[in-house]
Amino acid sequence: MSERVEPVIDRSAIDEDRYEKHGGFPKVVEASPGPHFGPFVEAMRTLQDLAVSVDCSDEVFGRARDKAEELIALLEPYRAPESQGPAGRVVSLPGRGSLLMPPWQTVEAGPGGVRMRGQFRRYHLGGNGAVHGGVLPLLFDDLFGGLVHYAGRPISRTAFLHVNYRKITPVETPLVVEGTVDRIEGRKTFVSARLRDESETLLADCEGLMVELLPWQP
């Protein structure tokens, strides 16, 4: 389980009132579920790791399927609309409690940039010990959303990402990613980020463009 890190957050640039005035994107409110939600998400992450790594008999796969179907039957009645369930809205949890997001934690955030720590799991394996190349844009894109938010910019969507893969990014290894807002031109926020290991070796970097939504844009 990822170690809990108490983040250093500077919200001074954020104007909460402006986020309901841009585009049709709903304002997302932080969730505070009970104490079982975090361990539930961690158990599900481990289940994802196992689903892509186990080598067992067909009988065991069948038993696992039965248990999975029991879990589906338990949870299905509670399926909720977007922004109602806690997944993705618990900032204190790795990946904000969303299984889609890599289980990283924000350790610093503010107008000057965002810094996150974490590691990729077996679930994110592409091959030969390396993270799948398609996972890194997901990490960078999530970070860029945080950059826009803590820089006090209006709600924006990603216009483009350009990722440079400098070295192999290993799974199950502590890593750090940090990003900055490079410049602002009207509705456009130009951003960049760098992924490094604990020895400061650059593994990948990314530049992107985030564009403020117009009032009629979802």
Side-chain angles (χ1 to χ4, degrees):
M1 182 179 296
S2 301
E3 180 182 354
R4 176 75 178 100
V5 177
E6 192 63 36
V8 178
I9 305 295
D10 178 0
R11 295 182 171 85
S12 61
I14 300 173
D15 179 0
E16 295 290 353
D17 293 334
R18 76 187 303 179
Y19 289 96
E20 295 181 348
K21 302 175 183 176
H22 296 276
F25 200 97
K27 185 175 182 180
V28 178
V29 179
E30 182 177 349
S32 299
H36 292 306
F37 180 71
F40 163 75
V41 173
E42 177 62 23
M44 294 301 294
R45 289 193 188 279
T46 301
L47 190 59
Q48 287 181 317
D49 292 337
L50 290 170
V52 299
S53 64
V54 295
D55 181 15
C56 58
S57 68
D58 191 59
E59 178 188 359
V60 173
F61 277 126
R63 291 165 57 193
R65 177 208 59 210
D66 292 343
K67 290 183 180 297
E69 290 179 350
E70 288 180 16
L71 186 58
I72 290 169
L74 173 65
L75 295 176
E76 182 62 40
Y78 304 98
R79 188 190 290 264
E82 180 182 354
S83 299
Q84 181 173 319
R89 299 193 297 124
V90 187
V91 297
S92 61
L93 292 178
R96 300 189 305 282
S98 169
L99 292 178
L100 174 64
M101 294 297 113
W104 289 53
Q105 290 183 315
T106 299
V107 293
E108 293 181 49
V114 173
R115 182 179 178 88
M116 300 168 65
R117 289 185 179 275
Q119 54 184 291
F120 295 101
R121 301 176 65 129
R122 176 63 184 272
Y123 180 70
H124 304 111
L125 177 68
N128 201 24
V131 174
H132 191 291
V135 175
L136 297 190
L138 176 62
L139 176 68
F140 285 126
D141 193 42
D142 189 51
L143 175 67
F144 288 163
L147 281 175
V148 169
H149 177 68
Y150 288 107
R153 297 288 291 161
I155 289 191
S156 304
R157 286 200 181 273
T158 307
F160 78 77
L161 292 175
H162 179 89
V163 179
N164 296 305
Y165 298 88
R166 305 296 185 179
K167 291 183 178 295
I168 294 299
T169 298
V171 296
E172 299 175 341
T173 300
L175 304 171
V176 177
V177 65
E178 55 186 0
T180 53
V181 172
D182 297 333
R183 69 183 190 279
I184 296 171
E185 298 177 3
R187 293 169 52 220
K188 299 178 180 179
T189 304
F190 293 86
V191 291
S192 63
R194 294 141 294 278
L195 175 66
R196 294 184 171 91
D197 62 19
E198 290 190 318
S199 67
E200 295 295 318
T201 299
L202 182 64
L203 305 175
D205 56 74
C206 182
E207 59 181 347
L209 171 61
M210 310 295 286
V211 179
E212 173 188 345
L213 293 174
L214 293 171
W216 50 268
Q217 291 179 314

